[in-house]
Amino acid sequence: MGEPVRVAMVGCGGRAGVHAPRAAASPKVEITAWLDVDRSRAEGSAEQYGGRVLERYEQALDDPAIEGVVIALPHDLHHEYGVAAGRAGKHILMEIPIAATPEQADEMIAAAERTGVVVLVLHSLRFWKSHQQIKALLDSGILGRPIFARYHNEHYVPADYFGRQPGHFAAEAGVLHHGDIMRWWVSEVEAVTACALMFEPESRGYGTFDHITVLYELAGGALGETTTSWVTRLCTENEMVRGSVSCEGGTVTTSWDGRVRIYSEHGRLPGGERFQVIEPQQPDGPDGEIVHFAECIRDGAAPLITPRDARRALELTIAARDSARERRRIELPALE
């Protein structure tokens, strides 16, 4: 095995805490520099995982030993930091969204294409093992053509969350993930109709949604429905189905426990069975994102999501937000 891909972590908050232990456990990637507006957070990360603390972003961009940057910053900084990294020839691992507008996304993609760097935007549902199993099952055609898909993510967030992303996505950030999973599991999104709530006082104070439900019209005639709710009170006794796809010949579901349950009306599962449960081999959730990033750089692996996929997810999320605000159906522009 060759040298690890060396990266700088830009933003040392919650998501850095997800990536850092996975990088530390892998020989493929190494975080060698840390940057945060709160220097103490960068120092704490460097002390725990090794590497040095940066004073300015330009130090990462100017250092030839740093091959890539992990951008884990508020939404309104993604465009500025992403374009600068692309122009500097640094590979980019970025939390969602790719940018605040499709035009900003286009500028970032163009900058990366000019220097030939990898851009991996973390639409993290594609990294869940259960979701990959559903994707493989649907692609196999065993259950026939998809008819209806749904995905729900319902939980509670701290009151101060709404101030962390001022002017950008709140609950509709869930559509960045959910709209992408509709496209990945089933087919292209052609139109959306959304309804949303501003339920909690903090949400109303910032004028941002804390619940949004979206109906998707999908290519080929299928429908999709997703809900992101930050006002749902959950406990282990009322955990629910997370995602499901109903097809002509059966249904596949995944629940909060990570199990994938498959029903084949015509007994087309292994052994002629009509029902199967795939038990999780490990806690389900996004895993291996930063390692996959390194594999894309060093081994030429195909990214699980392309920058243009991320741009499309942004585009349909904005359409869903506008649909909820304006109470109307919105058609998506056709992809070129």
Side-chain angles (χ1 to χ4, degrees):
M1 182 176 296
E3 290 291 309
V5 174
R6 295 180 172 87
V7 302
M9 180 65 66
V10 184
C12 299
R15 287 298 290 170
V18 173
H19 298 307
R22 287 164 173 79
S26 172
K28 296 185 177 183
V29 60
E30 180 182 0
I31 302 173
T32 60
W34 306 83
L35 176 67
D36 195 275
V37 65
D38 180 349
R39 182 182 173 87
S40 66
R41 293 202 300 191
E43 290 174 340
S45 297
E47 181 178 351
Q48 183 173 2
Y49 296 104
R52 72 186 196 277
V53 174
L54 303 179
E55 299 292 338
R56 296 174 292 104
Y57 185 47
E58 290 74 17
Q59 290 176 276
L61 303 184
D62 294 340
D63 187 344
I66 293 177
E67 297 176 71
V69 293
V70 181
I71 298 175
L73 297 170
H75 298 167
D76 56 351
L77 297 177
H78 287 195
H79 168 252
E80 174 189 350
Y81 280 68
V83 169
R87 289 174 177 170
K90 303 298 184 184
H91 302 287
I92 303 165
L93 178 66
M94 177 180 287
E95 299 296 334
I96 62 164
I98 187 172
T101 67
E103 294 74 22
Q104 289 183 351
D106 289 338
E107 186 178 359
M108 186 189 306
I109 292 169
E113 288 179 344
R114 281 194 293 270
T115 53
V117 299
V118 169
V119 178
L120 181 64
V121 183
L122 291 179
H123 290 262
S124 55
L125 294 186
R126 296 197 185 204
F127 288 84
W128 290 60
K129 297 302 181 186
S130 59
H131 301 160
Q132 293 172 3
Q133 290 164 343
I134 291 174
K135 168 67 172 171
L137 179 74
L138 295 171
D139 286 351
S140 76
I142 288 176
L143 298 183
R145 181 175 65 90
I147 300 169
F148 174 65
R150 65 165 62 88
Y151 199 93
H152 283 209
N153 188 3
E154 304 181 36
H155 58 89
Y156 201 66
V157 298
D160 67 347
Y161 184 90
F162 298 95
R164 300 181 199 171
Q165 306 287 1
H168 291 291
F169 300 116
E172 63 266 37
V175 184
L176 288 163
H177 292 296
H178 301 166
D180 178 64
I181 208 76
M182 292 292 111
R183 298 182 65 236
W184 191 50
W185 276 353
V186 184
S187 60
E188 186 55 66
V189 177
E190 296 182 334
V192 296
T193 305
C195 291
L197 300 172
M198 297 181 190
F199 181 78
E200 298 290 352
E202 294 80 11
S203 173
R204 295 194 297 272
Y206 283 101
T208 56
F209 297 132
D210 51 15
H211 177 109
I212 186 166
T213 296
V214 184
L215 177 67
Y216 304 80
E217 298 171 44
L218 302 168
L223 291 177
E225 178 268 317
T226 69
T227 291
T228 302
S229 181
W230 289 351
V231 300
T232 300
R233 277 64 170 175
L234 288 175
C235 66
T236 55
E237 280 69 36
N238 70 342
E239 290 180 348
M240 59 192 70
V241 169
R242 182 186 291 270
S244 68
V245 184
S246 297
C247 303
E248 291 175 317
T251 300
V252 58
T253 69
T254 181
S255 52
W256 288 81
D257 59 13
R259 291 183 175 89
V260 174
R261 295 170 172 86
I262 309 166
Y263 169 68
S264 171
E265 184 177 25
H266 306 296
R268 298 185 61 189
L269 299 176
E273 296 293 329
R274 299 179 66 185
F275 183 72
Q276 179 184 4
V277 177
I278 303 176
E279 297 286 347
Q281 300 303 307
Q282 60 191 41
D284 203 16
D287 193 24
E289 297 163 324
I290 195 168
V291 176
H292 177 62
F293 179 54
E295 291 169 343
C296 293
I297 296 167
R298 192 69 82 230
D299 305 332
L304 273 178
I305 182 165
T306 70
R308 298 195 183 280
D309 286 329
R311 184 196 186 279
R312 184 62 166 184
L314 171 67
E315 193 171 43
L316 67 88
T317 299
I318 292 171
R321 181 178 63 186
D322 291 346
S323 172
R325 288 175 174 174
E326 300 166 16
R327 298 181 179 273
R328 66 184 179 94
R329 172 181 177 272
I330 295 181
E331 294 186 1
L332 276 294
L335 292 175
E336 298 179 358

